[in-house]
Amino acid sequence: MGDTGFIKDDTGFLLAVITSPGDIPGEAERLEGLLEAGVEKLHLRKPGGGVEGLLERLAPRWASRLVAHGSVELAKRYGVPQVHGAASGRNGLALSTSVHSWDELRRLPAGLAYAFISPVFDSISKPGYLASDDLLTMPSGTLPCKAVGMGGVSADTIEMMLTRGWTGAALLGWIWEKPREAVSRFEQVKKIIDGQA
């Protein structure tokens, strides 16, 4: 797999999972279950705090698959190789970011691991955050980094992404709307992706 830690198959599809912004009962155990099921990029994002507790639990075994949001310092402390959304202070870490249009993505500097672009479909985790029609189909031409679609990604929408040329997707709302089913929902999506390989 190399240092990038992406799920790789013949399609080269990257499937990431982002933590719920709020607390979920038994979350650390569910995240471990997702990692054991094959999640290769788990984004730890907790706007209200709590990332450090998850890092303490997960990093000893899974650091290479984790992405810390916004904190180079935490990434360095726990041996996490990637930071999402850090404006500066790369310090040898891989960086990723989020954008909301193809024009914005095209203006990104070279060298990023990937960029989340959203919303491809109506968001599940942010009601009222509606799909952007021009995002669904991948543009022609070269992009400065891999585009990873998010917003409304589920077992019902992933096949449409695959047929429209996407090579990356991130799961958030659909995974966490039923936390007890998080692992089986991830496996459902991965099976659809693997079936397209």
Side-chain angles (χ1 to χ4, degrees):
M1 294 235 175
D3 293 334
T4 58
F6 301 140
I7 289 177
K8 288 186 177 176
D9 56 27
D10 293 338
T11 65
F13 203 91
L14 183 165
L15 184 60
V17 171
I18 305 165
T19 56
S20 169
D23 292 331
I24 287 178
E27 183 172 24
E29 291 81 9
R30 298 192 196 291
L31 294 175
E32 286 177 328
L34 284 163
L35 289 158
E36 286 167 0
V39 170
E40 292 292 337
K41 283 293 177 185
L42 177 61
H43 282 247
L44 300 177
R45 178 181 173 271
K46 294 286 181 184
V51 166
E52 193 161 3
L54 292 175
L55 283 167
E56 285 177 9
R57 171 77 176 261
L58 300 173
R61 181 175 176 194
W62 305 105
S64 67
R65 297 193 194 182
L66 304 178
V67 180
H69 273 237
S71 178
V72 169
E73 188 268 325
L74 281 179
K76 287 288 196 184
R77 188 184 318 159
Y78 289 97
V80 172
Q82 184 175 332
V83 176
H84 187 89
S88 61
R90 185 176 191 145
N91 295 323
L93 298 170
L95 298 179
S96 52
T97 192
S98 298
V99 297
H100 302 288
S101 73
W102 292 117
D103 285 342
E104 196 180 350
L105 193 146
R106 285 187 187 97
R107 290 193 300 267
L108 291 174
L112 293 174
Y114 50 82
F116 289 151
I117 184 166
S118 67
V120 178
F121 303 101
D122 293 351
S123 175
I124 297 165
S125 61
K126 296 179 183 176
Y129 191 46
L130 303 179
S132 178
D133 292 338
D134 59 340
L135 290 186
L136 183 54
T137 300
M138 290 285 293
S140 58
T142 304
L143 298 171
C145 64
K146 191 172 197 97
V148 178
M150 66 178 289
V153 179
S154 71
D156 295 328
T157 59
I158 192 67
E159 199 160 347
M160 192 182 309
M161 292 183 74
L162 292 166
T163 62
R164 298 291 181 100
W166 285 88
T167 58
L171 300 169
L172 197 169
W174 187 69
I175 283 272
W176 299 115
E177 71 178 355
K178 294 189 177 179
R180 289 182 182 179
E181 297 176 18
V183 172
S184 63
R185 285 185 169 211
F186 167 79
E187 289 173 337
Q188 256 184 284
V189 173
K190 188 173 184 314
K191 186 175 182 181
I192 294 166
I193 293 165
D194 291 345
Q196 297 288 319

